[in-house]
Amino acid sequence: MLTIKTTQHIDLQKSDGRNLRYTLRPDDLMDNDPFIILADDKFAHNTFADHPHKGIQTVTYVLEGSLEHYDSRTGGGGRLAEGDFQIMTAGRGIIHNENPDRGEEVRVLQLWVNLSPEHKKVEGQYEDLKYADVPVLEFDGGKFEVYAGEVNGVASPMKLFTPFLYTAVTVQSASNEITIPAGYNSYLYVLEGDVEVNGQKINTFDVIHFEKAEQDDSIAFIATNNAKFIVFAGEPIKAPVVARGPFVMNTEQEIIEAFESYRNGSFLDGKPY
């Protein structure tokens, strides 16, 4: 079993129109490689109006409610409902928005996955996975919903630039384990209930960061009541990383250039938005 590196309880932060649990912070980007942040975020309409991104993939999992999204690359958008999943590749630059209906709120998990220096140059793109199409691996007393990568032999159809896996696990008094590839940086975040993970009791809104292993290893869990949690794990990129606001690049100079291009109108290669 993978060794637990740290366990932390994530407190709620409240502000106008937003309830946030900052599950993974950009405090030590190399330690979290290839991940930048994970936000457990409940927000109202117009909290995230038009804004840019560059150098990352934003990975959105809708827990409650629904939202509309729009982006500058396709000139279109779509709707995500409860259980839906989306990977937005910002690449060389994109402007988008994401909004619940007026008077409504939506709760999402949003994970930022870093891109390699090469993939930071790709065109912006979107890929949605509707809940009805999510691959499911059932076991006695529970199920894995496989949103990205491969989990215990079941693969998601989502296109990935940075190799990672993402699964939502629902259990009702059951035990099982998840295989984690060698060298992956892995995490577990509890959404509901409590669960014993690798011999340690973990409660709602606790997040675990595991040690990396030189060989494929596993995360073992036991639940005596209903519980739901996510596991995400990714292959470190091992490149310098600098994150400022919505941009994640490899050097400070690239960050300066990203902000300057957004200010002077050349962010989308001079195309209007």
Side-chain angles (χ1 to χ4, degrees):
M1 294 185 296
L2 285 174
T3 301
I4 294 176
K5 185 176 182 179
T6 60
T7 302
Q8 183 181 4
H9 182 75
I10 308 302
D11 293 325
L12 180 65
Q13 303 175 35
K14 287 191 174 185
S15 61
D16 289 343
R18 193 176 185 192
N19 292 318
L20 170 67
R21 294 183 192 271
Y22 216 156
T23 307
L24 188 66
R25 293 177 174 273
D27 298 329
D28 190 337
L29 295 172
M30 295 309 295
D31 190 46
N32 294 334
D33 188 14
F35 305 115
I36 307 298
I37 67 166
L38 175 64
D40 181 349
D41 206 348
K42 188 172 186 178
F43 57 90
H45 181 81
N46 220 32
T47 302
F48 296 104
D50 293 354
H51 60 281
H53 283 293
K54 185 181 179 77
I56 55 170
Q57 290 183 308
T58 64
V59 177
T60 302
Y61 173 37
V62 181
L63 296 175
E64 302 170 12
S66 61
L67 61 82
E68 296 278 352
H69 66 88
Y70 178 87
D71 73 280
S72 58
R73 283 295 179 187
T74 67
R79 191 173 188 89
L80 297 177
E82 186 172 321
D84 292 348
F85 188 79
Q86 178 192 83
I87 297 179
M88 184 201 75
T89 303
R92 60 187 295 170
I94 203 166
I95 297 173
H96 78 148
N97 59 49
E98 45 204 339
N99 271 309
D101 294 337
R102 292 185 183 277
E104 301 294 329
E105 291 184 321
V106 64
R107 181 187 174 198
V108 307
L109 291 183
Q110 188 167 97
L111 176 69
W112 290 14
V113 181
N114 196 15
L115 292 169
S116 68
E118 176 186 1
H119 290 142
K120 289 182 187 297
K121 301 172 185 176
V122 302
E123 293 292 337
Q125 52 197 272
Y126 272 83
E127 190 175 12
D128 292 351
L129 181 62
K130 295 299 183 182
Y131 184 58
D133 299 322
V134 176
V136 177
L137 175 60
E138 295 185 349
F139 57 90
D140 186 18
K143 63 181 178 179
F144 298 105
E145 294 168 338
V146 183
Y147 284 94
E150 183 175 309
V151 175
N152 295 1
V154 174
S156 163
M158 300 294 273
K159 177 182 178 181
L160 307 179
F161 288 101
T162 300
F164 74 98
L165 66 85
Y166 190 115
T167 182
V169 186
T170 305
V171 289
Q172 305 91 25
S173 187
S175 64
N176 209 321
E177 61 183 44
I178 301 170
T179 299
I180 303 297
Y184 270 38
N185 218 352
S186 53
Y187 302 79
L188 183 151
Y189 177 53
V190 181
L191 295 168
E192 300 173 14
D194 54 71
V195 61
E196 184 179 300
V197 179
N198 289 6
Q200 181 173 321
K201 185 178 179 182
I202 308 298
N203 300 307
T204 306
F205 304 129
D206 286 351
V207 62
I208 301 173
H209 185 190
F210 298 90
E211 297 279 6
K212 294 189 286 288
E214 294 182 358
Q215 302 177 32
D216 290 359
D217 211 326
S218 64
I219 297 170
F221 59 87
I222 301 172
T224 57
N225 296 292
N226 293 351
K228 182 174 181 178
F229 56 91
I230 65 159
V231 172
F232 59 100
E235 182 177 28
I237 295 171
K238 299 179 181 178
V241 56
V242 181
R244 295 287 184 276
F247 305 135
V248 180
M249 304 304 293
N250 297 113
T251 67
E252 289 282 358
Q253 183 58 37
E254 289 174 332
I255 291 289
I256 292 170
E257 291 170 359
F259 276 103
E260 178 58 27
S261 69
Y262 187 62
R263 285 192 293 265
N264 67 25
S266 62
F267 182 69
L268 300 176
D269 301 324
K271 298 175 183 177
Y273 173 70

